[in-house]
Structures are given as structure tokens and as C-alpha cells.
Amino acid sequence: MLNLLYEIYTDSYDITPKRDKTQQELYEKLCTEWEKVQRLFGDEFVNHIFNIQGELEDWQSFYYYRQGFRLGAQLMMEVFTSATE
């Protein structure tokens, strides 16, 4: 069994989500469609779209991280305040 705390401590924890079979199939289909778009509109257009999408994903990731942190803090406050009552 993996020790999550040790992996985080040693900075060896891999946060990258693993794709299941269905996700991998969908990813391959998406890549095929992007190749069609690239042939039709060119590299510059596709790179521009990917850059915008990357920025959006960065902001979404930060939002989810912030919300998760807030949830964790609220849970800890709940634990500490209920323990003192």
C-alpha cells in the first residue's frame, strides 16, 4: 500500500490523473479531430486556441485548489470547535 503522506513529504506524489480506458479512447478521438482542425486552419490557429484553453484551465485549477483549501479549513474549524464544546 502506498503511503500518501510520505509521498507528499518526499515530493514524489504524482498529482496527474490517470485515464481509464474510456477516457483514453475519448482523448484519442479528440486528438484525431484536432488534427483535422489543424489541417484545415493551420498550426497558428490551433496553437492560439490551445493557449487560450491553457489559460482557462490554469484559472479553473486555481479556483478548485482555493475552494478545496477553504473546504479543508472549514472542516478543521468544525472539528476544533465541536471538540471544545
Side-chain angles (χ1 to χ4, degrees):
M1 178 160 173
L2 298 174
N3 187 331
L4 179 62
L5 288 177
Y6 184 75
E7 287 181 17
I8 293 171
Y9 174 75
T10 60
D11 199 27
S12 61
Y13 178 68
D14 184 11
I15 195 168
T16 309
K18 308 296 185 254
R19 293 184 188 129
D20 63 16
K21 184 180 176 184
T22 303
Q23 288 172 320
Q24 184 62 34
E25 289 171 357
L26 289 170
Y27 178 76
E28 290 170 7
K29 286 180 184 180
L30 182 62
C31 287
T32 301
E33 296 304 314
W34 271 114
E35 288 172 3
K36 292 176 188 177
V37 170
Q38 188 173 19
R39 282 193 301 273
L40 191 61
F41 292 102
D43 292 339
E44 188 175 333
F45 177 76
V46 171
N47 287 335
H48 180 66
I49 296 295
F50 283 160
N51 287 335
I52 293 171
Q53 185 177 8
E55 286 183 50
L56 176 62
E57 289 173 2
D58 286 346
W59 280 105
Q60 286 176 328
S61 295
F62 176 70
Y63 172 79
Y64 294 142
Y65 171 80
R66 186 176 60 193
Q67 292 303 101
F69 189 86
R70 286 180 180 167
L71 175 62
Q74 288 174 334
L75 289 171
M76 293 301 292
M77 291 300 294
E78 182 70 27
V79 167
F80 289 134
T81 55
S82 66
T84 59
E85 294 175 1

